[in-house]
Amino acid sequence: MTKIIKWQLLESTDVSPSKWFPLFKHTVKIGNGKIIDDYFVSKLGNVAMVIPFTKAGEIILVRQYKHGIGEITIEFPAGIIEPDQTPIAAAEAELRQETGLIAGCIEYVGEVVPSPTKDSTKVFGFVAEECTFSVDQDFDDTEEIEIIHSNPSEIDQWIHEGKISGSVCIAIWTKYKMKIEKNPTIRST
């Protein structure tokens, strides 16, 4: 096996054009000893994403506009993990804010890194069981969200058809399905 050496960070300069896009210019020493003085990395923040099941067995998704791609998307509730939050607390908060759901229980599914070459973001996935609509939605200033009721086979179909196309959503759904294959006590699709 080839020995791969981690890059050494020599300097990091915040060159963020706005609060909406944190960007850092790195000077790094790569594995072969070469110095690169203009490697840019975004630090958009870690994210919590949650697959919510209602008591009736429905899965709740959110439909909303995503300006980065200029499209309306369907995905699981998700949001940035604030500095004072744990991933699970962020998942519970996003579930309440985006859908009005309160989880009876919530379990860790796994984590994914959507763009490890140029971004430091990690997405922590959860499944929430026994969810009930208990509070009003509380959107961020940039959010307008429609709640979608679905089921596992419909989600698989929507992924196949491209109606659900976000890589993180698909990855967390896949991790969830892999987890239930290994542990049948978790809700089965």
Side-chain angles (χ1 to χ4, degrees), residues 92-107:
E92 291 170 331
E94 289 299 326
L95 186 61
R96 278 190 311 275
Q97 291 167 5
E98 293 191 357
T99 67
L101 287 169
I102 303 294
C105 64
I106 192 162
E107 183 174 334

Side-chain angles (χ1 to χ4, degrees), residues 18-162:
S18 79
K19 69 177 184 174
W20 299 104
F21 196 76
L23 186 65
F24 295 81
K25 179 182 175 188
H26 285 180
T27 300
V28 293
K29 181 177 180 181
I30 65 174
N32 64 10
K34 183 178 179 183
I35 304 290
I36 298 173
D37 65 0
D38 62 349
Y39 196 91
F40 291 85
V41 176
S42 62
K43 296 184 180 185
L44 298 174
N46 292 335
V47 172
M49 177 174 273
V50 59
I51 303 169
F53 282 88
T54 65
K55 287 185 177 184
E58 292 181 306
I59 300 172
I60 304 301
L61 296 105
V62 293
R63 183 175 173 266
Q64 62 184 319
Y65 177 75
K66 294 292 185 172
H67 190 66
I69 61 168
E71 298 288 337
I72 296 169
T73 65
I74 297 173
E75 59 191 6
F76 300 117
I80 295 291
I81 301 169
E82 300 297 334
D84 62 338
Q85 283 182 314
T86 63
I88 196 167
E92 291 170 331
E94 289 299 326
L95 186 61
R96 278 190 311 275
Q97 291 167 5
E98 293 191 357
T99 67
L101 287 169
I102 303 294
C105 64
I106 192 162
E107 183 174 334
Y108 179 71
V109 170
E111 92 182 42
V112 296
V113 287
S115 186
T117 300
K118 293 287 186 177
D119 186 22
S120 63
T121 299
K122 292 180 182 177
V123 180
F124 298 86
F126 297 88
V127 61
E129 302 276 354
E130 302 294 317
C131 294
T132 56
F133 289 98
S134 300
V135 296
D136 291 333
Q137 292 169 291
D138 183 21
F139 303 138
D140 292 337
D141 291 340
T142 60
E143 292 177 321
E144 183 179 350
I145 295 174
E146 175 188 1
I147 293 173
I148 305 286
H149 297 254
S150 187
N151 61 62
S153 61
E154 194 169 42
I155 291 173
D156 288 339
Q157 170 112 17
W158 289 350
I159 290 169
H160 178 74
E161 294 171 352

